[in-house]
């Protein structure tokens, strides 16, 4: 039994996931290299790139994103199973991943996905890395699900938001987890009451049926309409479709993560302080990476000491000391 195996569990959280890059940079600088990596959603993207030796390429792409650049990745697909087909994003990530297969990586890697219909937790540990990652981040209703080996798969955060259990099952003796939703853990813990008479409807809201005919008469109008309906008004007074869907998904993810982490806690938890960052703030990569690095540095001394003790105990039990 190898007592020194280190596992790294990277959680989901959309744009917040860029902070995973900073966490990995800090761990690597301290000489802490995981033997096993498990990732969910954006955690699978960053973890997969790291395992394949392409973290530099991903970081360059992330830091180079602008608001317009993020918008250009959004290839809308109103007739399909997701608001966004994800083809442009997948093509860009394919350039980063190449044709790498998971079984050919130097370390063990697994991406977590959810099977549509059964709700089964699917561990993708073989096959093309790009396909596995794409299935893991396919946010329900926003991105199209992915069909692999006859199964339709979407975001793994619905079943295992911070995949500590995967690392342990693959043989990790010391698991470092990165939870991107720490700032959300205090939300929804109390019930609130309010007077229905205080509810005010948005009087400025214009029915989609009324504006669609004239807006779709030209490409620019259609683009503006989609932006308004999906991302909300410019003054943010009314949430768009994406905000409602992602926030609802995020609340569910937070509840599941709390339950699973309580039942199978990691040996070390890194929780970047990401309050104020929207789940679609992909253009703010530099800030998020820095916050991830700072969060990891706060825990480094404890992590190093605990890993050292575990390895010493392992040698003693093996009769090598």
């Amino acid at each position: 039994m190898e007592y020194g195996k280190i596992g790294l569990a990277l959680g989901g959280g959309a744009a917040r996931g860029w902070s995973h890059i900073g966490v990995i940079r800090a761990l690597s600088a301290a000489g802490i290299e995981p033997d096993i990596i498990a990732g969910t959603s954006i955690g699978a993207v960053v973890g997969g790139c790291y395992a394949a030796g392409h973290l530099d390429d991903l970081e360059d792409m992330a830091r180079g994103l602008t608001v317009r650049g993020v918008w250009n990745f959004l290839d809308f697909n109103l007739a399909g199973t997701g608001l966004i087909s994800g083809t442009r994003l997948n093509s860009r990530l394919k350039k980063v991943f190449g044709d790498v297969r998971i079984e050919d990586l130097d370390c063990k890697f697994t991406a977590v996905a959810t099977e549509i219909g059964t709700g089964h937790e699917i561990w993708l540990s073989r096959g093309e890395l790009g396909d596995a990652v794409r299935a893991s981040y396919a946010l329900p209703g926003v991105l199209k699900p992915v069909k692999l080996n006859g199964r339709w798969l979407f975001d793994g955060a619905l079943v295992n938001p911070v995949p500590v259990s995967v690392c342990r099952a693959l043989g990790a003796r010391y698991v470092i987890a990165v939870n991107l939703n720490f700032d959300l853990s205090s939300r929804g813990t109390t019930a609130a009451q309010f007077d229905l008479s205080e509810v005010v409807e948005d009087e400025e809201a214009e029915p989609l049926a009324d504006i669609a005919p004239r807006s779709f008469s030209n490409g620019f109008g259609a683009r503006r309409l989609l932006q308004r309906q999906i991302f909300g008004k410019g003054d943010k007074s009314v949430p768009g479709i994406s905000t409602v869907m992602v926030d609802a998904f995020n609340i569910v993810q937070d509840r599941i993560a709390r339950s699973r982490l309580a039942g199978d806690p990691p040996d070390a938890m890194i929780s970047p302080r990401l309050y104020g960052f929207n789940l679609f703030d992909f253009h703010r990569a530099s800030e998020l990476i820095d916050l991830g690095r700072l969060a990891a540095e706060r825990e480094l001394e404890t992590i190093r000491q605990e890993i050292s003790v575990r390895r010493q105990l392992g040698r003693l039990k093996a009769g090598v000391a």
Side-chain angles (χ1 to χ4, degrees), residues 286-299:
S286 295
E287 300 169 74
L288 288 161
I289 291 170
D290 288 344
L291 289 172
R293 177 180 54 78
L294 290 172
E297 288 175 347
R298 286 194 294 267
E299 308 295 334

Side-chain angles (χ1 to χ4, degrees), residues 45 58 61 65 67-78 83-97 130 134 137 142-144 146 219 223 226 231:
V45 175
L58 182 67
M61 185 192 87
L65 284 175
V67 175
R68 174 171 290 189
V70 173
W71 176 259
N72 288 335
F73 276 119
L74 307 183
D75 41 358
F76 294 105
N77 181 48
L78 300 181
L83 291 173
I84 301 166
S85 71
T87 302
R88 295 176 191 168
L89 176 59
N90 183 55
S91 297
R92 183 66 182 85
L93 289 177
K94 278 280 190 181
K95 291 181 181 179
V96 176
F97 288 118
R134 186 181 184 187
Y137 71 66
V142 177
L143 288 165
K144 290 176 62 177
V146 178
R223 189 182 181 93
L226 284 171
F231 293 102

Side-chain angles (χ1 to χ4, degrees), residues 76 78 83 139-142 208 225-233 238-249 280:
F76 294 105
L78 300 181
L83 291 173
L139 190 66
V142 177
L208 179 60
L225 171 62
L226 284 171
Q227 184 174 16
R228 179 177 178 183
Q229 292 298 315
I230 293 174
F231 293 102
K233 292 185 174 182
V238 178
I241 296 172
S242 65
T243 302
V244 173
M245 291 178 63
V246 173
D247 203 39
F249 180 82
F280 284 102

Side-chain angles (χ1 to χ4, degrees), residues 76-311:
F76 294 105
N77 181 48
L78 300 181
T81 52
L83 291 173
I84 301 166
S85 71
T87 302
R88 295 176 191 168
L89 176 59
N90 183 55
S91 297
R92 183 66 182 85
L93 289 177
K94 278 280 190 181
K95 291 181 181 179
V96 176
F97 288 118
D99 296 323
V100 176
R101 296 184 65 83
I102 297 175
E103 55 267 35
D104 295 332
L105 298 173
D106 293 333
C107 66
K108 289 183 179 180
F109 172 78
T110 295
V112 179
T114 305
E115 183 179 15
I116 295 177
T118 65
H120 290 161
E121 180 178 335
I122 306 297
W123 295 1
L124 302 169
S125 55
R126 296 184 65 83
E128 285 200 18
L129 179 59
D131 291 339
V133 167
R134 186 181 184 187
S136 185
Y137 71 66
L139 190 66
V142 177
L143 288 165
K144 290 176 62 177
V146 178
K147 191 174 186 179
L148 295 178
N149 297 325
R151 300 184 180 203
W152 283 102
L153 307 175
F154 55 51
D155 204 309
L158 276 172
V159 288
N160 201 345
V162 187
V164 173
S165 58
V166 181
C167 289
R168 295 211 189 279
L170 295 178
R173 307 299 295 175
Y174 187 88
V175 179
I176 302 168
V178 184
N179 182 7
L180 302 178
N181 296 311
F182 171 81
D183 293 326
L184 301 176
S185 62
S186 61
R187 289 171 41 175
T189 55
T190 59
Q193 297 184 16
F194 61 93
D195 186 348
L196 287 176
S197 63
E198 297 175 0
V199 177
V200 179
E201 293 188 7
D202 178 24
E203 298 178 353
E204 298 180 2
E206 195 172 2
L208 179 60
D210 293 342
I211 58 179
R214 50 190 161 88
S215 293
F216 278 96
S217 61
N218 63 82
F220 179 74
R223 189 182 181 93
R224 290 290 300 273
L225 171 62
L226 284 171
Q227 184 174 16
R228 179 177 178 183
Q229 292 298 315
I230 293 174
F231 293 102
K233 292 185 174 182
D235 60 4
K236 299 183 180 180
S237 62
V238 178
I241 296 172
S242 65
T243 302
V244 173
M245 291 178 63
V246 173
D247 203 39
F249 180 82
N250 209 41
I251 291 170
V252 173
Q253 175 182 323
D254 174 56
R255 300 301 186 272
I256 296 171
R258 282 197 243 177
S259 176
R260 296 207 60 156
L261 290 174
D264 188 6
D267 299 286
M269 177 73 82
I270 297 175
S271 302
R273 275 38 173 189
L274 304 177
Y275 180 78
F277 285 88
N278 188 286
L279 296 176
F280 284 102
D281 282 343
F282 289 98
H283 59 287
R284 301 177 67 184
S286 295
E287 300 169 74
L288 288 161
I289 291 170
D290 288 344
L291 289 172
R293 177 180 54 78
L294 290 172
E297 288 175 347
R298 286 194 294 267
E299 308 295 334
L300 275 181
E301 188 58 35
T302 299
I303 291 173
R304 274 191 295 224
Q305 290 178 0
E306 291 181 348
I307 290 175
S308 177
V309 170
R310 296 290 182 94
R311 287 177 173 167

